[in-house]
Amino acid sequence: MTTTLYERLGSAAGIAALVDDVMAAHLINPIVKTRFENVKDPDRAKKMAREFFCAGAGGPETYTGKDMLTAHRGMNISEQEYLAVMDDIVGAMEKHALGEDTKRDVISILYSLKGQIIRV
Ligand code: HEM
């Protein structure tokens, strides 16, 4: 594989479209919708998600948000909620017809973060 994950995700524009779809999916997912309805500044949250994905996938953007532990500390996020968020992300990647290798790379990166997100 010669292209970076960032490129395979469609660079900044592709990642922005993915983040929009993931957030829309969270807002209709009964398991997590309340969490995201209660976000005070959704535009900032989406900006942070875009930066996080871009930087994490090897793009030139800098992530300016909190680290994952700090961002999710005290929220008491369950395994079920974590899986629901993962499912929304996989669903968005399928909608965007991303390749299996690309989906697998994103899933494995996100899975590696679960210890910083669930019940921290
Ligand atoms: C799958 C891995 C996840 C990643 C990569 C992720 C990523 C992020 C990022 C980048 C932020 C912004 C941090 C900041 O404000 O500086 C954030 C905040 C947040 N996350 Fe997550 N998150 C994940 C899982 C979850 C789960 C499972 C939930 C709950 C269902 C959740 C709920 C939230 C909420 C409510 C905020 C705060 C938004 C705000 O008030 O501005 N996240 N997350």
Side-chain angles (χ1 to χ4, degrees):
M1 185 58 64
T2 51
T3 55
T4 64
L5 178 58
Y6 180 73
E7 288 165 327
R8 284 182 276 137
L9 289 168
S11 302
I15 289 171
L18 265 179
V19 167
D20 283 348
D21 284 339
V22 169
M23 200 57 86
H26 289 345
L27 288 169
I28 56 167
N29 185 331
I31 297 168
V32 293
K33 64 184 293 209
T34 319
R35 295 271 194 194
F36 292 94
E37 281 167 358
N38 289 336
V39 169
K40 291 202 177 61
D41 187 346
D43 288 337
R44 180 189 172 275
K46 279 212 235 182
K47 181 174 190 284
M48 290 305 116
R50 285 196 298 271
E51 285 182 4
F52 185 84
F53 270 83
C54 284
E61 291 81 0
T62 303
Y63 176 58
T64 60
K66 299 169 191 149
D67 64 79
M68 290 300 95
L69 195 56
T70 308
H72 301 96
R73 186 174 279 143
M75 288 177 53
N76 199 23
I77 292 170
S78 68
E79 287 84 355
Q80 191 188 20
E81 288 179 295
Y82 180 81
L83 193 59
V85 160
M86 292 283 276
D87 284 340
D88 286 344
I89 295 169
V90 172
M93 292 197 291
E94 272 162 7
K95 180 180 166 192
H96 288 251
L98 298 179
E100 287 304 318
D101 54 340
T102 304
K103 284 192 284 182
R104 197 171 51 232
D105 287 351
V106 172
I107 291 166
S108 84
I109 292 168
L110 295 178
Y111 191 78
S112 77
L113 299 171
K114 78 181 167 76
Q116 300 169 54
I117 291 170
I118 297 171
R119 275 193 269 277
V120 286

